[in-house]
């Protein structure tokens, strides 16, 4: 499993972001560390603290680094030049927004995805907000084309009072990741396109509210049944 390092100018800010993301998505198994503030406890970033975080988290699957402002990125880049090259090769610096990227990255990492997949999902962190407010969406939804393979599908009604907001959406994505294979979703009520069930951003873009009908499609009937049952039960929220 990949690890996540948060580089911020403010330790309280970084700790709050990690706490928020962890509580929302339940990604307690993902190793997370913070390199934030100066050695004196003030605002700023310290490349040596980033080095310590990278060395602490180093693992064969890699480390995703999320940062807040420009000089945090510079400190992270400087740290990559200071650590052992074998460690640096397993690190990926993300341009994602800190909070949204952290939530998306932790969910994706918790499903067992690789470093680049987690980085890509984190980078799409603003897509749900942009779609809701009428901005450009980031990335394209998945096609329902299953490359000629037989697919199974079923429709289920959303029972969560607030719809598929971050917490139940994260539960769905985590479950889909563990089931494996290609699983797609679409909002039948709104006529949305298909999205990947292992993409938190994609699931959030569906805008699935209470009472909306969502179609689940996959090549494995067992995967369809498992997700339909989970969604019908409220994704652990009811």
């Amino acid at each position: 499993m990949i690890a996540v390092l948060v580089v911020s100018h403010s330790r309280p800010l970084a700790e709050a972001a990690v706490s928020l993301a962890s509580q929302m998505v339940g990604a307690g198994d993902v190793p997370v560390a913070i390199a934030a503030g100066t050695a004196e406890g003030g605002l700023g970033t310290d490349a040596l603290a980033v080095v310590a975080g990278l060395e602490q988290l180093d693992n064969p699957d890699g480390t995703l680094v999320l940062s807040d402002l420009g000089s945090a990125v510079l400190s992270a880049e400087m740290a990559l030049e200071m650590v052992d090259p074998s460690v640096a090769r397993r690190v990926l610096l993300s341009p994602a927004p800190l909070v949204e990227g952290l939530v998306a990255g932790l969910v994706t990492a918790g499903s067992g995805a690789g470093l680049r997949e987690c980085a890509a999902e984190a980078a799409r962190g603003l897509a749900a907000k942009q779609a809701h407010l009428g901005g450009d969406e980031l990335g394209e939804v998945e096609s329902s084309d299953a490359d000629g393979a037989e697919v199974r599908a079923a429709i289920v009604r959303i029972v969560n009072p607030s719809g598929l907001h971050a917490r139940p959406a994260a539960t769905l994505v985590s479950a889909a990741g563990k089931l494996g294979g290609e699983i797609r979703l679409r909002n039948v009520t709104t006529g949305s396109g298909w999205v990947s069930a292992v993409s938190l951003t994609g699931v959030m873009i569906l805008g699935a509210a209470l009472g909306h009908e969502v179609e689940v499609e996959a090549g494995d009937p067992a995967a369809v049944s498992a997700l339909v049952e989970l969604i019908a039960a409220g994704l652990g929220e009811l």
Side-chain angles (χ1 to χ4, degrees), residues 149-221:
E150 181 182 3
V151 297
R152 303 295 176 90
I155 294 176
V156 59
R157 190 179 300 274
I158 299 299
V159 297
N160 301 72
S162 298
L164 288 185
H165 61 89
R167 188 175 291 111
T171 300
L172 189 158
V173 169
S174 178
K178 293 174 182 176
L179 288 169
E182 185 180 0
I183 307 173
R184 296 169 296 278
L185 305 171
R186 72 182 183 99
N187 190 330
V188 177
T189 302
T190 64
S192 79
W194 292 95
V195 302
S196 169
V198 297
S199 167
L200 179 64
T201 302
V203 174
M204 296 287 288
I205 285 176
L206 287 178
L210 174 65
H212 282 193
E213 292 187 328
V214 172
E215 185 171 12
V216 182
E217 181 183 271
D220 181 3

Side-chain angles (χ1 to χ4, degrees), residues 107-131:
V107 170
T108 311
S111 71
L115 181 59
R116 295 195 177 280
E117 187 177 352
C118 291
E121 189 63 25
R124 289 192 290 267
L126 286 178
K129 186 185 295 182
Q130 289 176 317

Side-chain angles (χ1 to χ4, degrees), residues 84-161:
D84 188 282
S86 63
V87 174
R89 283 195 294 270
R90 293 189 285 270
V91 175
L92 200 158
L93 305 184
S94 171
L98 182 59
V99 176
E100 293 89 344
L102 186 57
V103 171
L106 287 181
V107 170
T108 311
S111 71
L115 181 59
R116 295 195 177 280
E117 187 177 352
C118 291
E121 189 63 25
R124 289 192 290 267
L126 286 178
K129 186 185 295 182
Q130 289 176 317
H132 180 77
L133 296 175
D136 294 330
E137 296 182 14
L138 301 181
E140 298 180 358
V141 297
E142 295 289 331
S143 167
S144 59
D145 181 10
D147 296 327
E150 181 182 3
V151 297
R152 303 295 176 90
I155 294 176
V156 59
R157 190 179 300 274
I158 299 299
V159 297
N160 301 72

Side-chain angles (χ1 to χ4, degrees), residues 7 45 47 50 67 69-81 93:
V7 181
T45 56
V50 179
S67 55
L69 303 175
S71 58
V73 177
L74 296 178
S75 291
E77 290 177 331
M78 186 180 300
L80 283 184
E81 296 177 358
L93 305 184

